[in-house]
């Protein structure tokens, strides 16, 4: 189906892959439905069309068949991350991933042609993945294995994380203003309350700018109180 | 767009998620295009419809906004795997992921409502992900973080990996038959050739059944030779 080819091309290019090979497309090629569905990916990718899987993988060294069901063949079975890790060890080899048509999947003869199997772990009660989803997940794992983005970062824009010193000055001012305002009813409980307030502010990973904003808020709240008085 | 909602529902359920909440769907609800595109997922998932994002996340404790572009806000930014790892640390908390409409994405006010940001690392030259692709990748990482499937396994069906002893017996027979057939032209090179043949067979992680098949092949080839003689 053209739509599946277009969506697959888009998913590949989203994660930096562009060597798309199509075996015997049902509706011929080029295919307007595929181009429409690709959101521009097929303007940048020129797929190669083959008559058979054998021809499509002829120049490759290592070929992985994507299948949902186990086949009765003794072949390594990888998860997506495992398959990408395997291909990454094959430095000088051209490797390829084979995906079957949406409903039927790959035939046993197709799978026999390949060196290994990739099976995506899914919900056993709703396991049928869209063809382009399978392609997307493999491409995603491919880029992920090369990408240096940390799993967590907190960009602080033009500001910087507040220094301990500046936060301390703010907390001391807050404590003193709260004292003046009669916040600490019981002197016995004050040390605990101060520690708890301190936890609220240290946990937030505040920036320098944010602590200045808190200073401004205190100033505004004090001003309000003066007016009421 | 109904199609996007249906595809998102399918991707969620493929990886075991079913709490779908939709804010102000453009074409109302229920939506036949969504149902058609979901390949049955919307028979098993009953989405809840809300008028605003605020209402949709009201009962949640931790909410992550998915955005393609950095926003000028000081918030933690996670990768998909990082975001799932973070939510997994929040044992007693209900967490949610927010996805914006296909073209426009989330507004800054939507993002401000959330505790953290999720940005999927993509090809910077073709970064626009389909809405349902973003949903799919988050659901995939969610299941992956819970799934015990090893990255590589080699199921051997009714057979078992060959024992060293049985492989040795085969290699000895092979060597002996090759000797009879005049395969080792030079006695000097024979030890190296034997070692190389041994590498070919040990590398293959053969099963017991496969070694028996090799025995059968040798027997057949010897029989052929006899006939020719």
């Amino acid at each position: 189906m053209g739509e599946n080819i277009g969506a697959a091309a888009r998913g590949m290019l989203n994660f930096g892959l562009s060597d798309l090979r199509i075996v015997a497309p049902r509706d011929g090629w080029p295919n307007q439905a595929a181009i429409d569905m690709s959101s521009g990916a097929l303007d940048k990718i020129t797929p190669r069309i083959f008559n058979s899987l054998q021809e499509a993988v002829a120049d490759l060294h290592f070929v992985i068949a994507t299948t949902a069901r186990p086949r009765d063949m003794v072949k390594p079975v990888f998860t997506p991350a495992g398959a990408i890790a395997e291909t990454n060890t094959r430095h000088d080899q051209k490797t390829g991933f084979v995906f079957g048509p949406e409903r039927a999947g790959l035939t046993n003869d197709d799978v026999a042609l390949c060196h290994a199997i990739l099976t995506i772990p899914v919900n056993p009660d709703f396991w049928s993945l869209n063809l382009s989803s399978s392609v997307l997940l493999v491409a995603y794992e491919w880029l992920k294995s090369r990408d240096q983005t940390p799993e967590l970062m907190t960009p602080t824009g033009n500001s910087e994380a507040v220094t301990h010193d500046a936060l301390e000055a703010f907390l001391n001012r807050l404590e003193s203003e709260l004292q003046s305002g009669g916040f600490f009813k019981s002197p016995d409980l004050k040390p605990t309350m101060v520690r708890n307030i301190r936890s609220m502010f240290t946990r937030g990973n505040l920036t320098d700018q944010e602590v200045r904003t808190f200073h401004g808020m205190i100033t505004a709240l004090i001003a309000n109180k003066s007016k009421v008085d």
Side-chain angles (χ1 to χ4, degrees), chain A residues 65 158 222:
Chain A
N158 296 325
I222 294 171

Side-chain angles (χ1 to χ4, degrees), chain A residues 6-216:
Chain A
R10 180 178 180 181
M12 283 175 62
L13 197 55
N14 278 150
F15 295 100
L17 297 178
S18 57
D19 186 359
L20 172 59
R21 304 173 180 205
I22 309 174
V23 175
R26 189 192 67 183
D27 302 327
W29 197 262
N31 177 312
Q32 193 58 44
I35 292 167
D36 293 345
M37 196 71 179
S38 80
S39 289
L42 285 172
D43 300 337
K44 302 189 175 197
I45 288 178
T46 306
R48 281 179 276 176
I49 312 298
F50 297 88
N51 291 318
S52 70
L53 178 59
Q54 186 115 28
E55 292 167 56
V57 302
D59 63 320
L60 304 184
H61 301 101
F62 188 68
V63 180
I64 301 181
T66 307
T67 77
R69 327 182 288 279
R71 311 290 177 121
D72 192 19
M73 298 184 211
V74 183
K75 280 186 195 295
V77 179
F78 291 100
T79 63
I84 294 297
E86 171 67 29
T87 61
N88 286 343
T89 68
R90 297 173 175 266
H91 302 290
D92 298 326
Q93 296 185 20
K94 292 176 76 172
T95 62
F97 290 86
V98 180
F99 300 86
E102 174 91 5
R103 303 264 167 222
L106 296 171
T107 67
N108 281 340
D109 284 343
D110 293 335
V111 177
L113 213 70
C114 300
H115 300 82
I117 287 173
L118 165 64
T119 297
I120 301 172
V122 286
N123 174 3
D125 295 329
F126 194 77
W127 55 266
S128 173
L129 283 170
N130 181 271
L131 166 60
S132 67
S133 295
S134 302
V135 173
L136 181 85
L137 291 171
V138 171
Y140 165 78
E141 287 286 3
W142 180 84
L143 184 65
K144 187 177 172 186
S145 76
R146 282 152 177 75
D147 183 67
Q148 302 297 316
T149 309
E151 288 205 340
L152 165 61
M153 49 184 172
T154 305
T156 52
N158 296 325
S159 192
E160 281 181 20
V162 68
T163 60
H164 192 79
D165 207 34
L167 184 62
E168 195 66 22
F170 165 73
L171 289 169
N172 287 336
R173 179 181 173 210
L174 178 62
E175 180 184 333
S176 149
E177 295 294 353
L178 291 173
Q179 179 78 48
S180 308
F183 180 80
F184 302 110
K185 309 284 189 214
S186 149
D188 283 0
L189 292 179
K190 184 179 166 187
T192 304
M193 294 174 82
V194 167
R195 277 196 298 273
N196 291 348
I197 291 168
R198 187 172 285 272
S199 287
M200 292 159 56
F201 283 94
T202 50
R203 197 166 61 233
N205 294 312
L206 297 170
T207 69
D208 206 64
Q209 176 58 53
E210 289 166 339
V211 170
R212 282 197 296 275
T213 301
F214 269 119
H215 272 295

